[in-house]
Amino acid sequence: MAVDYAVIVVYLAGMLAMGWWGMRRAKSKSEFLVAGRRLGPWMYSGTMAAIVLGGASTIGGVGLGYQYGLSGAWMVFTIGLGLLALSVFFSARIARLKVYTVSEMLDLRYGGRAGLISGVVMWAYTLMLAVTSTIAYATIFDVLFDLDRTLSIILGGAIVVAYSTLGGMWSITLTDMVQFVVKTIGVLLLLLPIAVIKAGGFSEMKAQLPTEYFDPLGIGGETIFTYVLIYTFGMLIGQDIWQRVFTARSDRTARWGGTVAGTYCLVYAVAGAVIGTAAKVMYPNLPSADAAFATIVKDELPVGVRGLVLAAALAAVMSTSSGALIACATVANNDIWSRLRGAVTRGDGEERDEVKGNRIFILIMGIAVIAIAIALNNVVEALTVAYNLLVGGLLVPILGGLLWRRGTAAGALASVCVGGVAVIGLMATYGILANEPVYYGLLASLAVYVVVSLATKPTDAAVLVAWRERLAGRGAEAEPAPAPEPATT
């Protein structure tokens, strides 16, 4: 394992070096939080693919393939569909807004009265997303170094917190590009063909496994529908995803670069399911489906290649973890803390001072994420809570703001509150992993949004004019409007 260890150590050292290099570039708030809005198509595609394809997409995607066969691709496939929909239909408009957070977009659209509550919901989502990614370090470092769970979480989390705090989005973008390359080589070019060959090829796989393993809908229609509802729509509205859209150099970059990344996700989804299916042939009686990835890597890959593939798994986890962490800190600082203290940012001098403030928030949120990850055991439940809150509370007011002129601030606030409370209450009633909370919570959010919007005064014409100007890319050179005073939030 000495060669494998060397590969991993070099990879981790490289991540820290990228953080140090990024620190030298992140001199302003824009550079620190959105990489100066200067990413071209190649870097944008790589970083977008890296953020959405995390540990759940890699380790979990292989596990679903082990359990259900080719239909196990659906979870990651719906993530790719969501990214494609975002890129084709919404990314250009989102990029032209020149904001930093989803809540700032809601303030622009509804007149500055929806940001704080939506910020709290988005903060809860990004926090839990960062926690679930951090927990995954325990699995990877256990395979690599046979480390204790707590120590594994601290080690992996500390590296991510370090490079994210140092260079912000520049560091994360650079590390994401490395992680994208490592994942492509490790999973698609090495693990996929080796797994199929070791399993005896597709003909042997078909001979050894039940026919339902090769049924594209074998995982079940209701499960596929739930994946679409949670992951496809979740891709449209998550702060971690939007913050990457904000890094695009132009709306064309956002549209076409995102389309490439979404297509890559579809290929990655199928690859994970095939690897899992091959693992089922080789190891039919594993105690857990999620152990399929680590088992096939540990037992079937040659020295050196094994280290690179494990580095790919580590890259998948780190990319999602760092993206969720900076999103969580950005929302906490810009949407919650600045509003509560009534802060107003003016001029480049104060913007430069904000880099320090955002670094502090990343550090604080990072420590909190590590602590929660150590205390929490059930990754699936934490991730389900995160996406249920996101979709149930924020999908309707965000898409409604983008698509329906008649939507109002009162309707948006009511939708966030009712949808969020309904999801939490229904999870307590039906169970966290049930499908009903997100179904009924989303319907309640939609109904309240429409009814309250129609029952209240339309959004002020001046607000809508300013909104349309920003959507068209005019008047976007200035930074977003100051956060409203707490009394109006």
Side-chain angles (χ1 to χ4, degrees), residues 275-290:
I275 293 168
T277 305
K280 184 67 175 179
V281 174
M282 291 182 279
Y283 309 98
N285 299 310
L286 289 178
S288 167
D290 285 339

Side-chain angles (χ1 to χ4, degrees), residues 26-328:
K27 301 299 184 182
S28 69
K29 178 181 178 181
S30 175
E31 290 171 334
F32 190 82
L33 294 182
V34 290
R37 309 186 195 276
R38 289 186 292 177
L39 297 191
W42 164 241
M43 292 192 73
Y44 180 86
S45 297
T47 192
M48 185 62 87
I51 179 66
V52 300
L53 295 175
S57 299
T58 303
I59 300 172
V62 172
L64 287 171
Y66 182 88
Q67 188 173 1
Y68 298 105
L70 298 185
S71 67
W74 273 106
M75 184 187 77
V76 183
F77 203 83
T78 56
I79 290 174
L81 292 177
L83 187 51
L84 285 172
L86 174 70
S87 302
V88 173
F89 299 112
F90 300 108
S91 63
R93 283 182 285 177
I94 293 170
R96 287 195 293 264
L97 289 175
K98 295 293 190 288
V99 296
Y100 291 106
T101 68
V102 174
S103 295
E104 287 180 4
M105 166 264 168
L106 291 174
D107 277 345
L108 282 171
R109 168 60 181 82
Y110 293 112
R113 292 187 295 278
L116 180 59
I117 294 176
S118 64
V120 171
V121 176
M122 189 64 77
W123 173 79
Y125 157 72
T126 53
L127 179 70
M128 296 310 294
L129 185 61
V131 167
T132 57
S133 301
T134 303
I135 291 174
Y137 295 127
T139 301
I140 298 172
F141 281 108
D142 177 58
V143 174
L144 286 172
F145 307 117
D146 195 25
L147 288 181
D148 172 74
R149 177 182 185 275
T150 298
L151 186 59
S152 297
I153 290 172
I154 292 173
L155 175 60
I159 292 171
V160 169
V161 171
Y163 73 69
S164 300
T165 302
L166 285 173
M169 187 58 82
W170 268 123
S171 295
I172 292 171
T173 297
L174 294 171
T175 55
D176 277 356
M177 286 305 299
V178 175
Q179 290 158 356
F180 171 73
V181 172
V182 170
K183 280 191 288 190
T184 301
I185 296 173
V187 176
L188 296 184
L189 301 184
L190 292 176
L191 183 57
L192 174 61
I194 290 174
V196 173
I197 292 171
K198 292 282 187 177
F202 285 104
S203 59
E204 183 64 20
M205 290 163 61
K206 288 184 177 180
Q208 293 287 335
L209 297 173
T211 55
E212 55 263 28
Y213 264 72
F214 301 92
D215 180 358
L217 304 179
I219 198 170
E222 184 178 356
T223 299
I224 295 171
F225 178 74
T226 302
Y227 283 160
V228 170
L229 201 60
I230 293 178
Y231 296 114
T232 301
F233 285 111
M235 288 296 106
L236 300 180
I237 58 175
Q239 170 67 26
D240 52 323
I241 310 302
W242 277 42
Q243 198 155 344
R244 300 309 172 98
V245 177
F246 300 150
T247 66
R249 184 169 60 199
S250 65
D251 53 3
R252 181 179 176 85
T253 296
R255 181 184 295 111
W256 292 109
T259 300
V260 171
T263 304
Y264 178 90
C265 291
L266 303 183
V267 175
Y268 201 87
V270 176
V274 171
I275 293 168
T277 305
K280 184 67 175 179
V281 174
M282 291 182 279
Y283 309 98
N285 299 310
L286 289 178
S288 167
D290 285 339
F293 181 89
T295 302
I296 195 172
V297 169
K298 192 173 184 179
D299 294 349
E300 302 297 336
L301 299 186
V303 172
V305 173
R306 179 171 49 203
L308 183 60
V309 173
L310 286 172
L314 196 58
V317 176
M318 282 187 161
S319 58
T320 300
S321 181
S322 59
L325 177 60
I326 193 171
C328 178

